[in-house]
Amino acid sequence: MTEKEINYEEIESELFQLHNELRANPQNFIPKLRNLLNTFKDKVFHIPNEDPIQTFEGVSAVEDAIRFLKTQKPVPELSLSEDITKACRVHIEDIGPKGMTTHEGSDGSNISDRIEKFCEWDGAIAENMDFGFKKAENILLNMIIDDGVKERFQRMNLFNPDFKKIGIAVGPHKDYGICAVIGYCKNVRPLGSEPNDINDFISEYIKNTMNKNKKKNIFQEEDPDAPDNTISVKIDKKSKEIKGKIKKITKKIYTLDTGAKHIIEFENV
C-alpha cells in the first residue's frame, strides 16, 4: 500500500471505534493477539499487507499482553474531542516531514502545550504514538503490546479509567511512511474558560476525605493534591487570559507512574 492509497481519515475513525471496543471488552482482543504470534520471524513482525517491523522483545511481549487482557476489567468509553484531535494533527504535521519519533515537538512542546492551543484541559492527560502500521487494528494491537517499554505506558493509557476524551490524527511520516498520534484527557473546556469545575472539585474532595487514613506518598506529605501514584511534580506559573481578563495562574503538573500527567490549575489570589 503506497502513501497515496492510505485513507488516513478512515484509519482515524476505525481507531476511535476500536478504542471503545477494547475498553468495553478487553478479552475480545486476545484472539487477535494470538494470531500475531505466528507472524514473527525471530523478533520481526511480518504481518500481511504491512511492512516488516523490528521489535525488541519478540513474542514474549505479545504473550505478556495476552496475560494482561485476561484479567483486565472494562472501563468507560471515550468521546471524541475535535480540539484534542487538532492538537494531535499539529504534532503529526511537525514530526512527520522531519522523521521525528518523539512526544516532544521540534519546538520543545509537549501534549499539554499543543492541546492548550485549542482548549483548556483538566485532570489526567497522555499521548500514544505508533509508527509504520497502516491498519487501525494493527496500530491498536501494537499499543497493547507496547514492545520494549518495561512500564507499558501506552497500554496503561488505553485502559486508564480517568480518561474521558480522546483525539486521533494519522498522517504521513518521512521514515516510517505513516504515523498515528493519539491524545487522551479527563476533561476539556473552552479556551480561556474558568478552571476547576465544582463537580470535579467535590468528587475529588470526597475521595480524598474517604482516604484520609491511607498512607501518603512522599509528595502527598507536603501536597495533599498529589495523586497516589505521583512520581514527579512541576509547578508552572504564568499569566493567562480567562473570560477576557488577564489573570495569574498556578498550574501543578503531576507525572504519574502510568506515564500520564495530572493537572490542577488555580488562580493566584
Side-chain angles (χ1 to χ4, degrees):
M1 185 183 296
T2 65
E3 182 180 313
K4 291 182 179 180
E5 295 173 324
I6 299 174
N7 188 327
Y8 299 116
E9 290 185 3
E10 184 176 285
I11 297 172
E12 292 167 358
S13 178
E14 290 178 5
L15 273 172
F16 174 59
Q17 179 182 339
L18 286 169
H19 264 78
N20 282 331
E21 289 179 10
L22 175 66
R23 286 168 71 95
N25 299 287
Q27 286 74 42
N28 287 359
F29 283 71
I30 291 176
K32 301 178 188 294
L33 287 170
R34 285 185 175 141
N35 289 338
L36 292 181
L37 294 173
N38 300 319
T39 67
F40 278 94
K41 292 182 181 178
D42 295 323
K43 292 186 178 181
V44 180
F45 266 135
H46 289 273
I47 301 175
N49 302 315
E50 298 278 15
D51 295 330
I53 301 290
Q54 176 70 51
T55 71
F56 292 95
E57 301 173 66
V59 296
S60 64
V62 182
E63 292 169 341
D64 176 72
I66 292 171
R67 288 192 296 271
F68 172 86
L69 289 187
K70 285 180 178 179
T71 59
Q72 174 61 44
K73 295 180 180 179
V75 291
E77 69 175 23
L78 301 164
S79 60
L80 193 62
S81 165
E82 183 179 347
D83 289 325
I84 301 177
T85 295
K86 289 177 181 177
C88 293
R89 200 167 308 286
V90 164
H91 199 42
I92 288 275
E93 292 171 352
D94 175 29
I95 67 173
K98 300 178 180 70
M100 296 171 61
T101 58
T102 62
H103 290 282
E104 184 176 286
S106 61
D107 60 354
S109 63
N110 56 37
I111 177 64
S112 177
D113 298 324
R114 292 187 286 272
I115 287 179
E116 288 179 3
K117 291 181 178 178
F118 304 101
C119 65
E120 309 291 348
W121 65 274
D122 301 300
I125 191 172
E127 184 177 71
N128 279 5
M129 297 172 65
D130 186 81
F131 301 88
F133 283 118
K134 303 179 184 70
K135 290 187 63 177
E137 181 174 287
N138 294 333
I139 292 171
L140 192 68
L141 291 176
N142 198 36
M143 290 180 178
I144 300 171
I145 296 167
D146 212 1
D147 171 73
V149 181
K150 180 181 178 181
E151 298 85 357
R152 310 296 191 205
F153 288 143
Q154 299 217 124
R155 182 192 298 171
M156 294 300 102
N157 291 336
L158 293 173
F159 292 101
N160 190 328
D162 289 335
F163 293 144
K164 298 177 182 178
K165 303 290 184 180
I166 186 173
I168 303 170
V170 181
H173 190 272
K174 177 183 175 183
D175 296 330
Y176 287 91
I178 185 172
C179 172
V181 175
I182 303 174
Y184 308 89
C185 192
K186 183 176 182 180
N187 293 313
V188 295
R189 51 192 168 84
L191 199 64
S193 61
E194 294 279 2
N196 296 334
D197 181 83
I198 188 63
N199 292 323
D200 285 342
F201 176 81
I202 292 172
S203 176
E204 289 296 321
Y205 178 80
I206 293 173
K207 184 172 71 173
N208 291 335
T209 301
M210 292 176 65
N211 294 333
K212 64 182 179 180
N213 295 323
K214 192 174 181 179
K215 185 178 180 181
K216 299 178 179 179
N217 62 36
I218 59 173
F219 297 97
Q220 291 170 326
E221 292 291 343
E222 297 183 358
D223 182 359
D225 293 328
D228 292 340
N229 55 338
T230 300
I231 59 174
S232 68
V233 61
K234 176 184 176 183
I235 306 297
D236 184 18
K237 296 187 177 184
K238 60 182 180 181
S239 296
K240 189 174 186 179
E241 183 175 335
I242 298 177
K243 291 188 174 181
K245 296 182 179 180
I246 301 298
K247 297 184 178 182
K248 292 184 178 181
I249 297 294
T250 293
K251 184 181 290 187
K252 294 191 286 189
I253 305 170
Y254 304 94
T255 299
L256 311 181
D257 61 8
T258 61
K261 294 186 184 297
H262 179 89
I263 184 173
I264 292 178
E265 182 178 290
F266 53 89
E267 182 183 346
N268 298 343
V269 293

